[in-house]
């Protein structure tokens, strides 16, 4: 049985001993291990069932530690760090030779982030090193945004889960690569949006295509086990079915089956999305219907995750 704790020191001791611990961050909960111990990193891949070609993000206590992992920190990366760290931004930079290629999935670049969650920062400080921390869920399932959902994912393990409440951002970090000979590139959307990044960079970000391999961006990901369909036009014939669940963002309609309304603020919606999916997925419904939010830029990351979690109905 996993154990939920608030004891930071127990967690730091386990991490130093090469064991895994679950840590809260402002994006989602992470399955943390000492980034300098290959045997610990191997356990992360094994427990998640994550393929070895999907690299991990190295979590640091502060930006000054970036040079312990990156061989070069280009000016554009320094500007982004100054503006957005600590926060939900991951930077992919050239890796130093001694960085484990287990962490980078064989690549010569490494992904770095300084999380903002106070408990994550306190754990990094108590541990005294860097932590890999991919989302604390089994490969391809929904990322957990509270301790109880982590416990559900790893019910048959004896993991120690450091409780940090509900994640405030709720979606995985925005990922930008800043590599020599290439323009800064947006590899994964997140709630830190493209306009804010471009305002700091003073230039448009290139998109993923043509950039470095950004593994782990499978079309299907973050998926509930229930058949999940997104819609713009309400499938009115399903409103009366008791075994259909609903996730609304505006103009929620009366339904016979269970329904949640996440509202029209993209940040509030994102913070609550995964918990809502866990809740509805647990009800053994035949279908889950999700109303698509508006298409403007503030919803880009939500649309990206919904597209991976579902099929489009209309
Ligand atoms: P997460 O699944 O949130 O742990 O984030 C890991 C994701 O970061 C991977 O699936 C990749 O998409 C991306 N990533 C990590 N390291 C690199 C890297 N060296 N180059 C490109 N993308 C990376
Ligand atoms: Mg993940």
């Amino acid at each position: 049985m996993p154990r939920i704790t608030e004891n930071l020191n127990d967690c730091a001791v386990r991490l130093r001993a090469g064991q895994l611990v679950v840590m809260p961050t402002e994006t989602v909960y992470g399955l943390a291990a000492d980034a300098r111990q290959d045997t610990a990193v191997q356990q992360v891949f094994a427990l998640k069932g994550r393929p070895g070609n999907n690299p991990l993000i190295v979590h640091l206590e502060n930006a000054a530690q970036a040079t312990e992992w990156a061989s070069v920190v280009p000016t554009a990366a320094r500007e982004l760090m100054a503006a957005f760290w600590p926060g939900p931004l991951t930077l992919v930079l050239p890796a130093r030779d001694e960085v484990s290629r287990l962490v980078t999935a064989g690549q010569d670049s490494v992904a770095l982030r300084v999380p903002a969650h106070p408990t994550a920062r306190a754990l990094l400080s108590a541990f005294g090193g860097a932590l890999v921390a991919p989302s604390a869920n089994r490969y391809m399932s929904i990322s957990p945004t509270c301790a109880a959902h982590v416990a559900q994912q790893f019910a048959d393990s004896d993991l120690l889960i450091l409780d940090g409440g509900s994640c405030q951002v709720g979606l995985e970090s925005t990922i930008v690569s800043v590599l020599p000979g290439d323009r800064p590139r947006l590899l994964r959307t997140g709630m830190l949006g493209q306009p804010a990044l471009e305002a700091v960079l003073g230039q448009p970000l290139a998109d993923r295509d043509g950039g470095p391999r950004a593994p782990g961006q499978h079309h299907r990901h973050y998926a509930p086990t229930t058949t999940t369909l997104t819609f713009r036009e309400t499938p009115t014939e399903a409103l009366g079915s008791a075994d259909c669940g609903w996730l609304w963002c505006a103009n929620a309609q009366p339904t016979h089956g269970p329904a949640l309304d996440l509202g029209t603020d993209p940040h509030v919606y994102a913070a609550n999305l995964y918990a809502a999916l866990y809740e509805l997925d647990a009800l053994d419904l035949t279908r889950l219907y999700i109303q698509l939010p508006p298409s403007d830029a503030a919803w880009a990351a939500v649309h990206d995750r919904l597209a991976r979690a579902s099929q489009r109905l209309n």
Side-chain angles (χ1 to χ4, degrees), residues 139-304:
Y139 183 58
M140 303 283 260
S141 41
I142 307 163
S143 300
T145 52
C146 65
H149 292 160
V150 178
Q152 188 181 317
Q153 283 282 321
F154 298 107
D156 53 355
S157 78
D158 62 354
L159 269 177
L160 197 54
I161 303 169
L162 184 57
D163 197 354
S166 292
C167 302
Q168 286 194 345
V169 175
L171 298 186
E172 299 79 0
S173 60
T174 306
I175 306 181
V176 173
S177 67
V178 187
L179 297 169
D182 191 26
R183 282 170 49 200
R185 236 170 239 286
L186 183 62
L187 299 185
R188 178 169 76 188
T189 58
M191 290 311 287
L192 174 58
Q194 195 162 347
L197 295 162
E198 291 177 346
V200 167
L201 289 170
Q203 60 169 321
L205 279 163
D207 60 21
R208 285 188 48 197
D209 305 330
R213 196 164 62 93
Q217 304 278 305
H218 294 279
H219 182 61
R220 189 185 148 82
H221 202 152
Y222 320 107
T225 53
T226 312
T227 301
T228 302
L229 299 162
T230 53
F231 66 86
R232 286 212 183 280
E233 306 286 321
T234 306
T236 46
E237 69 286 356
L239 291 170
S241 303
D243 60 353
C244 291
W246 300 83
L247 202 57
W248 301 94
C249 67
N251 312 318
Q253 294 176 38
T255 62
H256 203 247
L260 294 171
D261 186 348
L262 297 181
T264 53
D265 177 327
H267 290 277
V268 175
Y269 187 105
N272 294 304
L273 174 62
Y274 290 157
L277 292 178
Y278 267 94
E279 190 180 326
L280 292 168
D281 203 21
L283 299 178
D284 220 10
L285 301 163
T286 48
R287 277 213 188 352
L288 177 52
Y289 289 102
I290 302 181
Q291 181 183 33
L292 283 168
S295 342
D296 55 274
W299 292 93
V302 168
H303 278 288
D304 173 75

Side-chain angles (χ1 to χ4, degrees), residues 5 11 102 108 165 187 229:
T5 183
C11 296
L102 212 58
D108 293 331
L187 299 185
L229 299 162

